[in-house]
Amino acid sequence: MAARGILMPLHVHTKTTASTPPVVITTFISWLEKGSRPRRARFSCSQSHRLPEIDMSKYREKFAQRMAMAGIKPHHRIAMAVSGGPDSIALCILTAGWKSDNCDAAAAKGRSKSIDDLLAIVVDHGLRTESAEEANLVYNRVLDMGVKCEVARCEWLDGRPKLGHLQEAARNKRYETLQNICIQQKISILLIAHHADDQAELFILRLSRNSGVLGLAGMAFISQMFAEFPDFSGDGSKAHGILLVRPLLEFSKEDMYNICHAGNQQWVEDPTNRSPSYARNRIRMQLNNISSPIFKAELQAAISACRRTRVHVDKHCHLLLNNAVTVMPHGYAVIDLGTLHSMEVQNIYLAKLVASLLQFISQRHKPVRGNALKLLLGYLRTFPCKTSLTVASCYLCPAPGSKGTKVLVCCSVGSSLPLVMKFCEGQNCLATSELEEIVTDGETYLDVLVPDSPSVPFLDVTCFESVLMEAKRLGILSHSTYKSIISLQKEESDSFYSKAEAIPDFVPKDYLRSSSVPLSKSIYPGQVGYFMNRFVLDWKVCDTVSYDVLSTNEYVSVKEVGAEDQCSCSSCIIGDEMVAEVRHMIDADWIYLSDLSKKTNQGDSRPDDQPAVKPERLIGKATDYAILSASRALASLKSIPVAARRALPVLVNSKGVLLSIPSIGFSHCPDLMVSAVFNPRIPLGGGHSSFL
């Protein structure tokens, strides 16, 4: 029988503390064993003592400070992720009170009037039978608080994930759903209810996975989520993501319960959070068994030290990227090894730089780490560079003409990158000016709070053991706390490595791996889309074409497209076959351009033993156009390193004939108006950046 959720009354607490008298509650285990569901009216408890009055002023003040640090003001449009648990209900109470400037006003309003520009989003994953009922319960409860609410129900089109991947899959689906609703509602700020106890769990989890100091810093106070498509209504020069803000990271789980009590609000406990099948649950139970306030305070101090280190490293990495890295408009980057070598960059900065850069070029979510990262650091430390390297879906090699003083970083099309062409439906338009204002206000805290190198711990550490040892040496951790953390790390690490990794029972439909035969995706006139999350392709529809496409001295007269929408050349797209395929550029495309550029209207001037473009493929003035366009394209391609050319998108027709290389302006005929701009979905340093 599937586990069922339980509604916790406002004065019920599953854990007793010094500040909260013990309460007597009836557990739901017996109901589960009997296979029946308790009626909501029976969710009650008796209490031996009345709870002491909770002072909400300290919580309100702390919350307001965190929102100010994020650059968020009460008039901004805000969404909240609400599961119905004590954490998200506490977030609702604090945000509603902060928005209305009176924490009790929201409850007084009830459903008669909702708080302006505040939306709660309840995601029903649909993974448990009773999840819809629980989502509706939370929906009604949030409405009663005076907060507008929306329930989003997930659809698992590729099948339900297996147990070993369920939490990760549910988390990914949840964030995707939250993001989509924020975009639809034109909301650029999303609040998440993660708190200090969640950070502690993540710290132990990452210790057991051998994370370094940057990973041990845990969740960022502010990060960004970028939509599948930017706002194409503007120039598209700058990507704007939804700000993901965690204002409760300085609050404890005990604070969550207290806020719910003070706000007279109930919550729903998800029984799957008690299952030892999940690593986070196991760690949570282990941490709950350690009641020492000294341990908890020192653990939070260690996490805070790691976070300060990461903020410092992020800012220093940003300076390095500006000084030593050049991002080229055709989708590759150049690292100036000479500059890095002269600056004597420490490993922790260099590791962050190269991880960020490879994420940007490949547009892969997970950063390079472990042995691959060590290999990269050794590669960049070699000066001058004389070899090539393929790692993390990127190809690195000495830049032509640099004598090894510079390194190219290109997207590797021969790796296991999924080849995806996704299309924009024009729904992703956010208030970018508001976002810029919020980001600017939030970043002002960096100049004041980011510590200098001498005061930053852990800059020289190489592994998690070194982090803990250094924290102990600095007095952040006592010996007893150090031993307890090591014990927790070892227990979870043993549990993790003793279990074989579960295999997901679905593979995304659009996940295709590259091979020796170039894979392709279809595109139609009028579509705008992303190729590999890197190039924005725009195929414009035009009824009449007559313009200078090559240079001021090279005009091509083009006929008007007729009623049948026929193209000027027979090798292009005709009538109902208005479709092309998008794929990566291959060597045969270069040969085709070379053959085409050497052809004339009078015939083929190449020797008989050389391949040539078949004359029947070109008609009239389109021949002149294609020849001139190919000549110009070859000149442009010569300025692009060979390794970078292979990642350029090209269009071919159903017979495989090259139609366009839009990044460099080649088009087989002037009727084919396709552009490609290197504008990655996630900008350099984006998606993983934190302000504090």
Side-chain angles (χ1 to χ4, degrees), residues 349-368:
Y349 303 131
L350 189 60
K352 177 67 177 180
L353 178 144
V354 70
S356 298
L357 187 58
L358 265 60
Q359 277 183 292
F360 171 69
I361 294 298
S362 68
Q363 287 293 293
R364 292 174 68 96
H365 174 66
K366 293 184 178 180
V368 60

Side-chain angles (χ1 to χ4, degrees), residues 336-492:
D336 191 332
L337 294 185
T339 299
L340 294 179
H341 185 72
S342 64
M343 296 174 67
E344 298 181 351
V345 180
Q346 289 178 258
N347 272 347
I348 192 168
Y349 303 131
L350 189 60
K352 177 67 177 180
L353 178 144
V354 70
S356 298
L357 187 58
L358 265 60
Q359 277 183 292
F360 171 69
I361 294 298
S362 68
Q363 287 293 293
R364 292 174 68 96
H365 174 66
K366 293 184 178 180
V368 60
R369 54 192 173 189
N371 291 332
L373 182 57
K374 292 178 182 178
L375 182 65
L376 274 168
L377 291 178
Y379 181 83
L380 296 179
R381 291 289 185 197
T382 304
F383 184 81
C385 175
K386 297 180 179 179
T387 60
S388 60
L389 177 67
T390 300
V391 62
S393 301
C394 288
Y395 176 76
L396 290 79
C397 64
S402 71
K403 298 183 179 179
T405 61
K406 296 182 179 180
V407 168
L408 297 179
V409 182
C410 311
C411 183
S412 174
V413 298
S415 66
S416 58
L417 273 168
L419 189 150
V420 178
M421 182 73 197
K422 299 178 180 178
F423 297 102
C424 175
E425 297 178 357
Q427 79 279 20
N428 299 322
C429 301
L430 295 173
T432 55
S433 59
E434 180 180 277
L435 269 175
E436 290 175 354
E437 175 190 340
I438 296 169
V439 170
T440 300
D441 289 345
E443 286 180 329
T444 57
Y445 285 88
L446 276 179
D447 298 330
V448 178
L449 299 179
V450 174
D452 296 328
S453 296
S455 60
V456 176
F458 314 138
L459 289 179
D460 296 320
V461 299
T462 57
C463 59
F464 77 89
E465 293 99 335
S466 302
V467 172
L468 297 180
M469 288 294 294
E470 182 65 7
K472 182 181 174 184
R473 187 189 71 80
L474 294 172
I476 299 173
L477 299 178
S478 63
H479 180 71
S480 60
T481 300
Y482 170 81
K483 297 294 287 184
S484 297
I485 292 176
I486 288 292
S487 176
L488 290 169
Q489 179 272 332
K490 185 178 185 306
E491 186 172 347
E492 176 52 35

